[in-house]
Amino acid sequence: MQLQQAEPSNIDLEDHTSSASPTEQFRHSLQVPRSPGAKSLAGDTLRSRADSFNSTATSSRSRANSFNSRAETTRSRGNSDLTTLRSRFEGDDLSTDEALRPDKTSEQDFVVENNPFAFSPGQLNKTLNPKSLAAYRALGGIYGLERGLRTDLVAGLSVDETSTAEKIDFEEATNPANSKKSLDTRRIIAHDGLVTEHEVEGQFQDRKRIYKDNRLPAKKAVSIWKLFWNAYNDRVLLILTAAAVISLVLGVYEAVGQPKDPNQGQSLDWVEGLAIMVAIVIVVLVTGLNDYRREKQFSALNARKDDRQVKAIRSGKSVMISVFDVMVGDVLHLESGDSIPADGILIAGHGIRCDESSATGESDAMKKTAGAEVWERIVEGTATSKLDPFIISGSKVLEGVGTYLVTSVGVNSSFGKIMMGLQAENEETPLQVKLARMANWIGYLGTSAAGLLFFILLFRFLAGLPGNTDSPTKRSHTFLDILIVAITIIVVAVPEGLPVAVTLALSFATKKMFKENNLVRHLRACETMGNATTICSDKTGTLTQNQMTVVAGLLGTHTTFARDLDLGDEDKTILTFATAFGRLSPDMRSLLLQSIAINSTAFEGEEDGKATYIGSKTETALLTMAKEVLGMGPVAEERAGVEVVQLFPFDSDRKCMGVVIRLANGNYRLLVKGAAEIMLKNATQELFDISGESLESMELTEEARVRCSANIEDFATQSLRTIALLFKDFQQWPPVGVEHLEEDRSAAKFEDVFGEMTFLGVVGIQDPLRDGVALAVKRCQDAGVVVRMVTGDNITTASAIAKQCGILTEKGRVMEGPKFRLLSDEDMDGILPNLQVLARSSPDDKRILVARLKHLGETVAVTGDGTNDGPALKTADVGFSMGIAGTEVAKEASAIILMDDNFASIVKAIMWGRSVNDAVSKFLQFQITVNITAVILAFVSAVSSKEMHSVLSAVQLLWVNLIMDTFAALALATDAPTEKILDRKPTPKRAPLITTNMWKMIIGQAIYQLLVTFVLYFAGYDILGYDTKCSQIDGALVSQCTDTMHTELNTMVFNTFVWMQIFNEFNNRRLDNKLNIFEGVLRNYFFIGINCIMVAGQIMIIFVGGKAFQIKRIDGTQWAVCILCALPCLLWAVVLRCIPDVYAKKLFDAVGKVWYAIARPVLAVLAVVFKPVGRAWTAVTAPTKRFSRRVASKVSRKKAAEGKAANNEGITADVEAASNPPLEMNTPVAAPPKTPPQHQHRHTHTASSAEFPLQPPPITLTTA
């Protein structure tokens, strides 16, 4: 039914204030269910923070009732003052149909067949398109969503749900009369364990069908045919194809269409063209398959990167589920630092503030209001546009705790819609950029050599035309041979394998790093980490095990207790836990339980099937102690009868957290816990007698303060984290004279109430070092990486742990964050080289430290786990977040996620980062050697040949190109790092890609290979006695014998050249001057397999290549000559490695100066010569470019005009629809009463930033 303007509203309010108290119902509906492992009592689910969120609701209800009475009075006076009493929100005057009217672009989201739920995805999205209280009202508020989505605000979804047989319609779900619902009618299904992946697979069929799951469709994979086309769609290959086709056509015409000489056999010139085309096909196939494999690997990495665990409530229990398994209707926990995975409505919360800049563009922190309170205000007519119950996916929780109801997931969520338009972004690494520049330069040089060769041969060809008696077809074929050789040299010279090598090395490394607990989110981090010079590491969880236990403490200022701990004071009386806590009075015991159980965000749960506490490890340690020695029952029971008035979340700057509760006598109590020395400074009272019946306090004397401070120091020297407990009672809240929070007048400012506190005691928490962390730190230091510890612990605890880890040395300095941040930049720069521990640091201190280290030229890696660590993680060259203890904000700000939170995993990242850089250097060294040798050999042999033929034919060069670009990249990019990779210092940021040692090997190997091939080519005819063989043959067959011998000799040159590359590939497995080039080769199956393919391919080519490769099968002796000429490459590499790099550098510098002196004037002359040519070319092409720009401009203007017209039509249609009576919907909605129209505020929805999925770098054939 439709509610009327006044009476139905009043009836609804009366229903809500009937005997079944709505305040009590609302309070029960906001109960957070107890955590896994806890048992239900009397059929009701126990509450973990039951009344933490109730005070606001209660006050809202009391205001609501008072407003009701005023409203009744107003109505009796003829509604004369109704306008002044009721506030307005945007869309308040809209009907249900208008509030939920589909947009033209999303009409399909409103049409769902066989929908057992009350709402379509489109209707749910209207609440956030933009934020709309009108749509929220039309959907029946939080209770209407609860009914319409067939969920439970307390128990969440049932783990037994598969399909939904019963159907609920729109009117039934949104009817306010159905809101009166007792908690006893809510069925909570018992479930003893966590939800498993197997269970999720068969669950929620209807929800998945209607609302989808929380996955974004994977970016449409590039088909393998498209990859083949991309590999082929290169200018050089296209030109080569055209030349090969022409050569094939001419060869076929010469073989078929020309008269045959009876003395000559069948012409086979067409075979070369066909062979070139087959070689191009092979190159394209191998490149395409390589790219296909690369795409698959990065798709798998994307899936791993996006997956994470979130806390949900299912069947009344808190469970951890994959973010992909979040469903519409789920109830999720919110905590400070969370990244919100799906859209929804806040059920209950305390101090929830969200950063929605990534989703809406709003830079201010947005305060959230519980959905039930907003619904009350809407029904009362007091709602304003400032009320915001909407939780937006992609935003971050800055502070507060609570729960919310999921309304949109995946592609239907607001952030999902943004991300769908951003999936095509690619990431290009710094190394990729450097290599692209180098590839261009090498390509320019190769193209210049090919162009020079073409013109030299062309001039020779033209000069010989007058005396050439060959047929026109034969002459054309000769010209094509010249063109094909020149183009093939370009193909060989252009190092398109460089970016392929980077991609292969990165994909291989990231896959292996994931197995070693490093999830790489940004590819650049993988290569940058190899050159890291310093690591700023957290202590807790990274250097330590994050398994905290209370092992000592102080009750009051006199009673010390400990277990198995030497505090170094024989005169001090140290009690056992049982003795110390056994002396406590009931009131003191209750006070300690309040300080530990109520002032905590941890809750009960299950891990690996065992009951445990989930939350901050410090808090779980305190809860464990309270359970063991204070007799604490289930946490939910301890919190059930306590009303939390205000919550102060943990703040890394003030190093503490607090909570305000209402006592049974009507007073209020502030409970605070935090860093012991800071707490002690704010304490002025202590309890008179901890075993007494009353909680009388007395002044904390200076003697007691010193004694307590000494105990804290003793705990710290034992590497214990010290936490102090304070409290203070107030007669009212907020207290008189304190500053109120601007956004909530019922809340006090922490700094104004945190003073003159009563000291309860101190606990010392032990967190053992991780196994092997000292060794990992030592390995970093041996590798030239300085490890610094940045922690929030006090300076004594931090120093003790740093010494145990091996971080703090004799010459190292320790400093506290408050003193560090006050230093000038110059003073910081002077201290940083020796600074090894920064204690009591804030996240901003960490950011400043990272920024100054980078300013000094360091490559900085930093770890972080908190929300406030985001700036430091972003500032660092490589940010590591914690996969277990880290918040989602920290993970999104980081480049690599440590899946096990272990410092040893950072060492693995260094090793793999260096391995990536080494793989690229190995391949670069190998390819440049092949480039130099192949281009010079082809150039010199073609110029010196009478027939103007290169000793390496086009097909042979394509085979060489396949070896060096694809096979070598696969072989050299897959070497796993060894421990010895940490024996050298990091590579400086400005170090060249090609080092002196690499130049030594490149030039040395190129000289040897050219020397051997030139000797074989120019002198081999005489050395091997071919002239003697042919002289013994009759004159008619001498020419044929000579041709055969030349072909055999060319085959031997080609075979020797390829075998030298195969052997040289082994040389390039090492980049240093050590001699063992076979180290670890048997562990690299890729390397062995690729070399087997190359060897088999070369043998097959020699035996069956024939006319296609322009070779002739050679005998065993000739094979022996080839192998024996190529094998000394290995011995020559030993000689080169024995030459000190210092001498090689001096030689290269001298040669470089001479070359520069010669090349500089030549380049100047060329610039003068070709400058007019460039101007002429510009003048010729300018009209074409202007015409193209005009056409493109006209097309873009036309599209813009069409888009504007379409938008205007849409706006006009919306205006007309708003002015006309709305169409009847199939499921009319009962709307709350409307209020008189007022000025409407319009919100904008802008996406400002988003995290892009990991994508492989683009691979293109770089041409000059």
Side-chain angles (χ1 to χ4, degrees):
M1 65 176 181
Q2 297 284 344
L3 291 178
Q4 302 300 318
Q5 182 72 13
E7 288 77 12
S9 174
N10 193 32
I11 292 171
D12 180 59
L13 290 175
E14 290 172 357
D15 287 340
H16 276 72
T17 56
S18 61
S19 58
S21 169
T23 302
E24 290 300 318
Q25 291 181 27
F26 177 51
R27 181 175 297 176
H28 285 309
S29 71
L30 299 187
Q31 292 174 0
V32 178
R34 66 165 304 166
S35 46
K39 304 297 181 184
S40 299
L41 298 180
D44 291 339
T45 302
L46 298 177
R47 300 173 290 179
S48 58
R49 277 193 83 86
D51 291 321
S52 298
F53 316 124
N54 292 347
S55 58
T56 306
T58 305
S59 60
S60 300
R61 288 286 179 175
S62 62
R63 290 195 301 269
N65 294 338
S66 64
F67 175 79
N68 249 0
S69 61
R70 293 198 303 271
E72 289 295 334
T73 306
T74 307
R75 289 191 184 93
S76 64
R77 295 176 182 173
N79 290 341
S80 58
D81 295 327
L82 187 62
T83 302
T84 61
L85 287 174
R86 296 200 173 197
S87 300
R88 290 280 304 168
F89 59 86
E90 182 179 357
D92 190 25
D93 57 340
L94 296 178
S95 68
T96 298
D97 294 348
E98 291 170 333
L100 299 179
R101 174 180 286 119
D103 300 323
K104 282 193 173 184
T105 59
S106 60
E107 291 177 348
Q108 70 277 5
D109 295 338
F110 288 76
V111 181
V112 181
E113 296 182 0
N114 191 23
N115 187 358
F117 305 101
F119 311 121
S120 66
Q123 289 171 327
L124 295 174
N125 285 340
K126 290 298 289 185
T127 59
L128 292 172
N129 192 26
K131 295 178 182 178
S132 172
L133 289 177
Y136 177 67
R137 178 187 62 187
L139 295 173
I142 190 72
Y143 301 117
L145 290 168
E146 178 189 27
R147 291 187 297 273
L149 296 178
R150 307 186 70 86
T151 185
D152 191 294
L153 298 181
V154 176
L157 295 178
S158 167
V159 295
D160 293 339
E161 179 186 323
T162 53
S163 59
T164 306
E166 300 177 3
K167 182 177 181 180
I168 183 171
D169 59 27
F170 192 95
E171 183 176 0
E172 180 184 357
T174 57
N175 189 347
N178 296 328
S179 293
K180 186 172 70 174
K181 182 177 182 182
S182 173
L183 180 65
D184 296 335
T185 65
R186 301 170 185 245
R187 184 170 66 94
I188 300 177
I189 301 172
H191 190 63
D192 295 331
L194 291 177
V195 179
T196 65
E197 293 181 1
H198 175 72
E199 292 170 327
V200 172
E201 288 296 328
Q203 289 176 326
F204 312 126
Q205 295 177 5
D206 283 336
R207 291 187 190 273
K208 289 182 180 179
R209 179 175 60 85
I210 303 300
Y211 300 115
K212 312 298 183 211
D213 57 15
N214 201 30
R215 286 178 172 86
L216 295 179
K219 189 186 78 167
K220 186 177 180 181
V222 181
S223 69
I224 193 168
W225 306 109
K226 178 67 174 176
L227 292 173
F228 287 151
W229 172 250
N230 290 341
Y232 176 68
N233 194 19
D234 177 74
R235 286 177 296 173
V236 177
L237 286 182
L238 291 174
I239 295 172
L240 190 58
T241 303
V245 169
I246 296 173
S247 176
L248 177 63
V249 171
L250 290 176
V252 171
Y253 175 72
E254 186 177 353
V256 178
Q258 293 290 313
K260 298 179 182 177
D261 188 343
N263 297 326
Q264 292 183 353
Q266 181 71 37
S267 175
L268 296 177
D269 289 342
W270 57 271
V271 174
E272 183 180 10
L274 180 62
I276 292 174
M277 295 175 66
V278 171
I280 291 173
V281 169
I282 293 174
V283 170
V284 169
L285 287 176
V286 173
T287 305
L289 290 172
N290 201 14
D291 289 347
Y292 182 73
R293 174 177 171 270
R294 174 178 60 90
E295 291 279 349
K296 288 294 184 183
Q297 286 183 339
F298 278 96
S299 297
L301 287 173
N302 273 334
R304 296 184 191 129
K305 178 180 72 74
D306 295 334
D307 194 11
R308 56 187 171 92
Q309 297 289 302
V310 295
K311 297 175 185 176
I313 299 172
R314 288 189 174 170
S315 294
K317 298 198 175 187
S318 297
V319 296
M320 302 297 291
I321 64 173
S322 169
V323 69
F324 296 143
D325 295 328
V326 173
M327 296 289 151
V328 169
D330 259 323
V331 176
L332 300 184
H333 284 283
L334 291 176
E335 294 180 7
S336 176
D338 282 352
S339 178
I340 297 173
D343 294 338
I345 303 295
L346 183 65
I347 299 174
H350 225 301
I352 295 284
R353 289 179 175 276
C354 295
D355 174 13
E356 298 177 351
S357 59
S358 62
T360 66
E362 293 286 345
S363 58
D364 296 334
M366 307 301 292
K367 183 178 182 296
K368 301 298 176 181
T369 308
E373 181 179 349
V374 174
W375 176 249
E376 286 183 24
R377 298 279 296 275
I378 290 176
V379 172
E380 294 167 1
T382 60
T384 68
S385 294
K386 292 185 177 180
L387 294 177
D388 185 1
F390 306 110
I391 305 297
I392 302 179
S393 57
S395 57
K396 316 293 188 302
V397 181
L398 298 179
E399 58 184 57
V401 294
T403 56
Y404 81 103
L405 174 67
V406 176
T407 58
S408 295
V409 296
V411 294
N412 294 319
S413 66
S414 54
F415 197 63
K417 293 179 183 295
I418 296 173
M419 291 299 293
M420 286 300 292
L422 300 175
Q423 286 191 335
E425 295 292 332
N426 289 327
E427 179 185 18
E428 197 171 46
T429 69
L431 190 56
Q432 184 85 20
V433 175
K434 287 182 180 179
L435 289 176
R437 293 181 188 144
M438 175 167 286
N440 286 335
W441 277 105
I442 297 174
Y444 293 149
L445 294 175
T447 303
S448 301
L452 182 61
L453 174 64
F454 175 74
F455 284 112
I456 290 174
L457 298 183
L458 178 63
F459 292 151
R460 285 182 57 186
F461 173 73
L462 295 177
L465 277 180
N468 194 331
T469 59
D470 293 334
S471 65
T473 306
K474 192 70 173 177
R475 289 198 294 268
S476 300
H477 209 286
T478 303
F479 172 77
L480 278 177
D481 287 343
I482 295 172
L483 179 62
I484 288 172
V485 169
I487 295 173
T488 308
I489 286 179
I490 296 177
V491 174
V492 174
V494 173
E496 65 269 19
L498 284 179
V500 175
V502 179
T503 305
L504 288 174
L506 286 172
S507 63
F508 181 75
T510 50
K511 184 178 180 180
K512 294 293 185 181
M513 287 174 69
F514 180 76
K515 293 181 180 179
E516 296 182 348
N517 298 311
N518 284 273
L519 176 55
V520 179
R521 299 183 69 253
H522 299 294
L523 285 177
R524 65 172 56 240
C526 188
E527 62 188 48
T528 305
M529 193 59 206
N531 299 324
T533 58
T534 184
I535 300 173
C536 300
S537 174
D538 284 341
K539 175 186 75 69
T540 305
T542 308
L543 299 172
T544 61
Q545 297 178 15
N546 205 18
Q547 296 177 355
M548 299 191 183
T549 308
V550 177
V551 296
L554 187 66
L555 294 174
T557 60
H558 297 81
T559 304
T560 305
F561 60 92
R563 67 161 69 100
D564 300 329
L565 196 67
D566 182 14
L567 297 179
D569 190 347
E570 297 180 356
D571 298 332
K572 185 184 299 183
T573 301
I574 302 176
L575 304 178
T576 64
F577 275 68
T579 304
F581 286 93
R583 295 180 176 181
L584 301 180
S585 66
D587 287 344
M588 180 64 178
R589 185 180 296 268
S590 175
L591 181 56
L592 284 175
L593 284 175
Q594 288 177 353
S595 297
I596 294 173
I598 307 303
N599 188 18
S600 173
T601 57
F603 59 91
E604 290 168 316
E606 285 185 4
E607 288 183 359
D608 300 326
K610 298 180 181 179
T612 185
Y613 297 109
I614 297 176
S616 165
K617 296 301 181 182
T618 302
E619 296 187 14
T620 59
L622 289 170
L623 290 174
T624 302
M625 182 196 74
K627 181 179 179 180
E628 292 175 351
V629 299
L630 291 175
M632 184 186 72
V635 177
E637 290 184 359
E638 299 294 335
R639 296 170 176 170
V642 180
E643 180 184 348
V644 175
V645 179
Q646 187 174 348
L647 184 70
F648 300 103
F650 177 79
D651 185 274
S652 56
D653 290 327
R654 56 182 180 236
K655 303 293 182 185
C656 65
M657 64 183 296
V659 66
V660 180
I661 61 174
R662 178 180 290 173
L663 303 177
N665 60 7
N667 290 340
Y668 297 85
R669 176 168 291 166
L670 170 63
L671 303 166
V672 181
K673 69 180 179 187
E677 65 273 19
I678 297 177
M679 298 297 101
L680 186 60
K681 291 178 182 178
N682 289 274
T684 59
Q685 303 284 317
E686 67 170 316
L687 292 179
F688 182 77
D689 184 5
I690 61 174
S691 60
E693 295 299 325
S694 63
L695 297 178
E696 296 182 6
S697 60
M698 63 179 184
E699 182 182 356
L700 181 65
T701 64
E702 186 61 28
E703 180 185 355
R705 189 182 297 275
V706 171
R707 183 171 59 251
C708 185
S709 180
N711 276 281
I712 294 173
E713 186 74 13
D714 288 341
F715 294 155
T717 56
Q718 299 293 321
S719 304
L720 302 185
R721 169 175 287 185
T722 53
I723 304 295
L725 307 175
L726 309 178
F727 83 100
K728 185 177 182 180
D729 289 342
F730 298 88
Q731 292 185 347
Q732 68 179 61
W733 194 266
V736 177
V738 303
E739 184 178 348
H740 298 186
L741 297 182
E742 182 179 350
E743 64 276 6
D744 186 357
R745 304 298 298 172
S746 65
K749 191 174 180 180
F750 180 78
E751 287 73 12
D752 288 355
V753 297
F754 184 49
E756 299 182 356
M757 306 290 291
T758 301
F759 183 81
L760 277 179
V762 176
V763 292
I765 302 176
Q766 186 180 60
D767 186 10
L769 285 182
R770 286 185 178 272
D771 295 335
V773 72
L775 176 61
V777 171
K778 180 69 167 54
R779 288 166 67 192
C780 284
Q781 293 169 343
D782 292 341
V785 181
V786 178
V787 181
R788 293 176 169 88
M789 188 172 76
V790 184
T791 179
D793 285 342
N794 66 44
I795 194 167
T796 306
T797 303
S799 299
I801 294 178
K803 288 180 181 178
Q804 293 180 32
C805 296
I807 293 176
L808 185 59
T809 61
E810 294 182 358
K811 297 181 180 180
R813 295 195 58 171
V814 182
M815 183 171 285
E816 290 185 321
K819 296 180 181 178
F820 175 77
R821 72 179 72 116
L822 296 177
L823 297 175
S824 64
D825 290 345
E826 292 76 12
D827 292 338
M828 279 189 190
D829 294 346
I831 289 174
L832 283 179
N834 295 321
L835 181 65
Q836 294 175 342
V837 178
L838 188 62
R840 278 286 173 247
S841 64
S842 68
D844 196 50
D845 295 332
K846 186 187 290 186
R847 181 192 61 79
I848 294 171
L849 173 64
V850 172
R852 292 313 302 173
L853 286 170
K854 288 185 67 177
H855 175 74
L856 294 177
E858 303 277 358
T859 301
V860 186
V862 66
T863 67
D865 56 6
T867 303
N868 293 335
D869 286 330
L873 291 169
K874 283 289 188 183
T875 303
D877 293 290
V878 181
F880 285 88
S881 63
M882 304 296 108
I884 299 173
T887 64
E888 293 307 318
V889 173
K891 291 177 184 177
E892 291 194 12
S894 66
I896 299 177
I897 299 176
L898 293 179
M899 307 300 290
D900 60 350
D901 292 8
N902 194 343
F903 183 84
S905 297
I906 300 179
V907 180
K908 294 291 185 182
I910 295 175
M911 293 173 62
W912 278 106
R914 294 189 176 187
S915 176
V916 169
N917 293 324
D918 285 357
V920 174
S921 297
K922 292 173 186 177
F923 178 74
L924 188 61
Q925 180 173 303
F926 174 78
Q927 187 169 55
I928 293 180
T929 303
V930 182
N931 275 2
I932 293 174
T933 310
V935 171
I936 293 178
L937 179 60
F939 185 95
V940 172
S941 61
V943 172
S944 63
S945 172
K946 295 179 181 180
E947 295 82 11
M948 295 182 291
H949 288 167
S950 167
V951 68
L952 300 177
S953 68
V955 181
Q956 292 172 7
L957 285 171
L958 288 175
W959 167 244
V960 172
N961 186 67
L962 187 64
I963 289 176
M964 73 177 188
D965 278 343
T966 302
F967 291 154
L970 282 169
L972 294 173
T974 52
D975 265 335
T978 63
E979 297 290 335
K980 294 181 180 179
I981 204 169
L982 296 175
D983 292 342
R984 67 172 191 258
K985 302 301 180 184
T987 304
K989 286 183 178 181
R990 299 186 179 276
L993 281 174
I994 305 178
T995 63
T996 301
N997 186 63
M998 290 172 64
W999 276 122
K1000 180 178 67 176
M1001 298 301 295
I1002 290 170
I1003 296 176
Q1005 285 291 338
I1007 290 173
Y1008 174 81
Q1009 293 180 17
L1010 288 172
L1011 182 64
V1012 170
T1013 51
F1014 282 156
V1015 168
L1016 274 178
Y1017 180 69
F1018 290 107
Y1021 196 79
D1022 297 327
I1023 294 173
L1024 299 175
Y1026 288 153
D1027 53 347
T1028 305
K1029 293 180 182 179
C1030 292
S1031 64
Q1032 298 174 359
I1033 300 176
D1034 296 338
L1037 299 177
V1038 170
S1039 176
Q1040 184 177 350
C1041 175
T1042 303
D1043 292 340
T1044 302
M1045 293 297 104
H1046 273 294
T1047 304
E1048 284 187 6
L1049 185 61
N1050 290 347
T1051 302
M1052 292 180 65
V1053 172
F1054 165 65
N1055 195 29
T1056 303
F1057 177 79
V1058 171
W1059 279 100
M1060 283 192 291
Q1061 311 317 317
I1062 294 173
F1063 291 136
N1064 192 40
E1065 192 177 8
F1066 285 86
N1067 287 328
N1068 288 297
R1069 293 189 68 248
R1070 291 206 78 108
L1071 292 172
D1072 52 23
N1073 286 322
K1074 295 181 180 179
L1075 303 181
N1076 186 6
I1077 60 175
F1078 300 102
E1079 182 180 1
V1081 69
L1082 296 180
R1083 293 194 298 269
N1084 189 346
Y1085 300 115
F1086 263 108
F1087 186 88
I1088 296 173
I1090 292 300
N1091 277 277
C1092 289
I1093 292 174
M1094 288 193 295
V1095 169
Q1098 181 63 19
I1099 293 173
M1100 186 177 65
I1101 287 172
I1102 296 300
F1103 277 93
V1104 300
K1107 186 65 176 177
F1109 280 82
Q1110 298 182 14
I1111 61 177
K1112 185 179 183 298
R1113 183 182 297 187
I1114 55 179
D1115 57 27
T1117 303
Q1118 293 166 328
W1119 266 103
V1121 171
C1122 295
I1123 299 298
L1124 291 176
C1125 288
L1127 193 59
C1129 274
L1130 302 177
L1131 300 177
W1132 179 241
V1134 173
V1135 175
L1136 292 174
R1137 286 191 166 96
C1138 292
I1139 300 174
D1141 290 347
V1142 178
Y1143 298 148
K1145 187 175 186 304
K1146 291 180 179 179
L1147 176 62
F1148 294 151
D1149 289 342
V1151 173
K1153 291 178 181 178
V1154 174
W1155 169 257
Y1156 183 72
I1158 296 173
R1160 187 174 183 180
V1162 173
L1163 292 175
V1165 171
L1166 291 176
V1168 173
V1169 172
F1170 286 101
K1171 197 170 184 180
V1173 177
R1175 290 177 178 173
W1177 175 257
T1178 303
V1180 171
T1181 58
T1184 305
K1185 291 182 179 179
R1186 284 196 298 269
F1187 175 75
S1188 300
R1189 283 196 295 267
R1190 288 196 195 100
V1191 172
S1193 178
K1194 288 181 180 179
V1195 171
S1196 61
R1197 283 199 300 268
K1198 184 177 180 181
K1199 288 183 178 180
E1202 291 174 354
K1204 187 175 181 180
N1207 290 336
N1208 291 336
E1209 289 176 5
I1211 294 172
T1212 304
D1214 290 342
V1215 172
E1216 290 176 355
S1219 61
N1220 294 329
L1223 299 174
E1224 289 293 322
M1225 298 178 64
N1226 293 332
T1227 54
V1229 185
K1234 301 176 186 175
T1235 57
Q1238 292 183 2
H1239 178 66
Q1240 298 183 9
H1241 300 279
R1242 190 170 303 276
H1243 298 274
T1244 59
H1245 187 82
T1246 308
S1248 65
S1249 64
E1251 177 65 38
F1252 302 133
L1254 185 66
Q1255 299 293 341
I1259 300 300
T1260 57
L1261 288 173
T1262 308
T1263 58

